[in-house]
Amino acid sequence: MDRFDIALISADQTLAQQLTQLARDGHCSVSASGRGVETPPDASVIARANIVVVDVDPARRDHLLSLQSIMMRASPQTHIIVLADACSEAVQRWFMQIRVSDLIRKPPAAVDIMAACKRLMSGVVAPPSDHAQVTCFLPAAGGVGNTTLAIEAAIQMLSQTTDKSSVALVDLDLHNDACADFLDLEPRLDFSEVGEEGERFDKQLLEAMISRHSSGLALIAAPSVAGELRPIGRGALLRLLDTVAASFEHVVIDLPRTWHVWTDDVLVAADRSYIVTDMTVPGLRFARRLTDQVIPRLNIRDSMRVIVNRFDQRMFGSGLRRADVVRTLENVFAGEVPNNYQLVREAIDRGVPLEAVKPGNNISAAVKRIVLSQQHAERIAS
C-alpha cells in the first residue's frame, strides 16, 4: 500500500493524538485541525489529503452545510469519513447522496478510523462482519511452548493482511504474563477499571489498555503479581473478549493450563482451538485424553486439534517416531512443529518474533502451514 495522508477535522485533541500515534508505522501521516467542522482548515490541507475525516453533529444544520462545503472542495478521488452520533435515516441517505465513503459512530476509536482508512486506500472493502476469526492455544502441560506458538500464529496472521492493526493477541494466563515478557512489552490490562461484570468496558477503554508491538500486533495482557491469584468474573472476561472480537479481524488467545469458569465459553466461541503438547509419551496421552473428554462435552469436534511441539524426527534408534504420534492422536492431529530451542531462546531474550531472528525459519513455516492451511480449508468449506 502506498503512503497516504489523512486530514482530521475535529476538536477532539485526544483522538488526534491517538490517530497520530497509530500513523507512526510509516504508512500515512495525519494533519489535525484541532478545530470543529464549523471552522474547517485551509483548502490546501483538504486538497493534499487522500482521506478527510470529519467530526459532525448530524442534528446541527451548520455542521451538515460545512461538510457539504468540504465535499465540494475535495478532489473526486478523496475519501470522506464522517464521525457522527446516531442519526436519522434521512441524514444517512443524504450522506450516501453526497458520496461519504464511510460512517463511524461516536465516540470513535482511533484504531477503527485507521482500519477504515487502510481499507479505503486498499480498494478492498469486505462484507461487514461482527465476528472476528478467533484462534485459541491451550497447553496440555506446563512448559510445552504454548505462548511461543500463540505469538507465532498471531505474527503469521499479521503477515497475511495489509491492515497491520487488525490482529490481537490476548493473554488469558492472568498469573503469568509471558506474552508481554516474550514481546518485551508492558502489560496494560487492568480489570479493576472495567467493573465487576465488565459494564464499563468499551472500545475506548480497550484502546487505552492495548500494548502495541512494532509489528503492529496488539497485545491485551494484564500484569501478574507474585503470590496473588486474581479471580476474574466470567461476565467481565466475556465482555472483554466480545469487545476485542468486535475491534479486530483476527484474535489469538493464549489460554492457561488451569481450567476456569470461563474456559468452556472461550473454547465454544472460538473458530478453532489447538491443544499444544510436546513429543513425550505422557504429553501425547494427556493431549489425547483431553480431546476425548472436551470435544464431545462441548460439541466442538470440527474445531479442536492437537499440535505436537518440539518435534524431533528420528530415523534410527529408540524413541517416538511420527508414526507413533499419528497412531496416538489419529484424527485430532493437526501437525508438528520442529524443535529449535536455540532460535526460540534467542527470540525470547531479544523480545522479538522468531522471524526477526531468522527469516524463513522452520518453526514459523510449520505454524504457518498448520494454522493458515486450516483457515483456508474452512473458507473453502464455507
Side-chain angles (χ1 to χ4, degrees), residues 84-103:
D85 293 312
C87 50
S88 67
E89 183 179 345
V91 173
Q92 291 183 45
R93 290 182 62 194
W94 182 75
F95 286 152
M96 294 174 63
Q97 290 165 2
I98 65 173
R99 301 194 177 185
V100 167
S101 303
D102 201 354
L103 175 64

Side-chain angles (χ1 to χ4, degrees), residues 193-264:
E193 295 290 328
V194 306
E196 187 174 343
E197 292 298 319
E199 63 273 8
R200 295 198 296 271
F201 208 88
D202 56 20
K203 285 190 176 182
Q204 284 188 306
L205 186 56
L206 171 65
E207 187 173 349
M209 295 185 179
I210 287 176
S211 306
R212 288 274 177 188
H213 188 260
S214 58
S215 63
L217 178 65
L219 173 65
I220 298 97
S224 62
V225 179
E228 180 180 326
L229 297 178
R230 294 173 298 173
I232 303 302
R234 176 174 176 269
L237 189 126
L238 295 182
R239 171 69 177 175
L240 162 69
L241 295 181
D242 280 343
T243 307
V244 173
S247 305
F248 295 89
E249 295 178 20
H250 298 278
V251 177
V252 178
I253 300 177
D254 182 5
L255 285 166
R257 182 189 179 193
T258 305
W259 221 266
H260 293 269
V261 293
W262 37 260
T263 303
D264 283 0

Side-chain angles (χ1 to χ4, degrees), residues 61-376:
R61 182 172 176 80
D62 61 323
H63 276 211
L64 299 181
L65 291 174
S66 294
L67 172 63
Q68 189 173 38
S69 174
I70 291 169
M71 298 286 295
M72 294 174 64
R73 285 187 286 164
S75 162
Q77 288 76 39
T78 301
H79 298 287
I80 307 294
I81 297 177
V82 169
L83 313 178
D85 293 312
C87 50
S88 67
E89 183 179 345
V91 173
Q92 291 183 45
R93 290 182 62 194
W94 182 75
F95 286 152
M96 294 174 63
Q97 290 165 2
I98 65 173
R99 301 194 177 185
V100 167
S101 303
D102 201 354
L103 175 64
I104 298 177
R105 298 296 187 200
K106 295 199 296 187
V111 290
D112 290 341
I113 296 173
M114 184 60 71
C117 291
K118 291 181 177 180
R119 282 196 299 270
L120 290 171
M121 292 305 298
S122 70
V124 178
V125 181
S129 173
D130 59 358
H131 176 65
Q133 288 289 307
V134 179
T135 304
C136 292
F137 286 82
L138 174 68
V144 295
N146 194 73
T147 296
T148 297
L149 297 193
I151 292 173
E152 187 57 35
I155 293 295
Q156 290 301 324
M157 292 175 191
L158 200 64
S159 70
Q160 302 299 305
T161 178
T162 57
D163 183 359
K164 299 306 179 184
S165 62
S166 64
V167 181
L169 173 63
V170 184
D171 188 352
L172 292 187
D173 193 348
L174 303 173
H175 310 303
N176 178 25
D177 48 0
C179 287
D181 285 339
F182 283 22
L183 293 172
D184 195 22
L185 294 173
E186 177 188 357
R188 296 179 179 174
L189 179 60
D190 184 357
F191 276 99
S192 67
E193 295 290 328
V194 306
E196 187 174 343
E197 292 298 319
E199 63 273 8
R200 295 198 296 271
F201 208 88
D202 56 20
K203 285 190 176 182
Q204 284 188 306
L205 186 56
L206 171 65
E207 187 173 349
M209 295 185 179
I210 287 176
S211 306
R212 288 274 177 188
H213 188 260
S214 58
S215 63
L217 178 65
L219 173 65
I220 298 97
S224 62
V225 179
E228 180 180 326
L229 297 178
R230 294 173 298 173
I232 303 302
R234 176 174 176 269
L237 189 126
L238 295 182
R239 171 69 177 175
L240 162 69
L241 295 181
D242 280 343
T243 307
V244 173
S247 305
F248 295 89
E249 295 178 20
H250 298 278
V251 177
V252 178
I253 300 177
D254 182 5
L255 285 166
R257 182 189 179 193
T258 305
W259 221 266
H260 293 269
V261 293
W262 37 260
T263 303
D264 283 0
D265 298 286
V266 175
L267 292 174
V268 169
D271 294 280
R272 64 201 64 85
S273 302
Y274 296 105
I275 294 175
V276 179
T277 190
D278 56 8
M279 193 153 171
T280 62
V281 171
L284 294 175
R285 286 177 176 170
F286 186 76
R288 183 56 198 254
R289 187 161 61 246
L290 197 57
T291 57
D292 287 346
Q293 294 172 357
V294 174
I295 287 176
R297 180 168 62 82
L298 301 183
N299 192 25
I300 53 173
R301 185 169 305 279
D302 295 330
S303 62
M304 179 170 276
R305 296 288 184 271
V306 176
I307 294 177
V308 178
N309 194 24
R310 299 173 186 154
F311 179 86
D312 281 316
Q313 180 66 54
R314 293 186 175 92
M315 296 297 295
F316 305 101
S318 60
L320 291 172
R321 296 181 174 84
R322 193 177 192 277
D324 301 318
V325 175
V326 174
R327 188 182 309 112
T328 302
L329 298 177
E330 299 179 317
N331 60 325
V332 295
F333 180 45
E336 69 276 8
V337 175
N339 187 15
N340 194 337
Y341 178 78
Q342 186 79 25
L343 172 67
V344 173
R345 180 63 180 267
E346 184 175 349
I348 292 173
D349 287 345
R350 290 171 52 183
V352 297
L354 302 177
E355 286 280 353
V357 178
K358 184 179 180 182
N361 65 83
N362 55 0
I363 295 180
S364 298
V367 173
K368 181 178 181 179
R369 182 184 69 251
I370 294 169
V371 177
L372 299 186
S373 64
Q374 184 172 348
Q375 287 184 345
H376 180 66

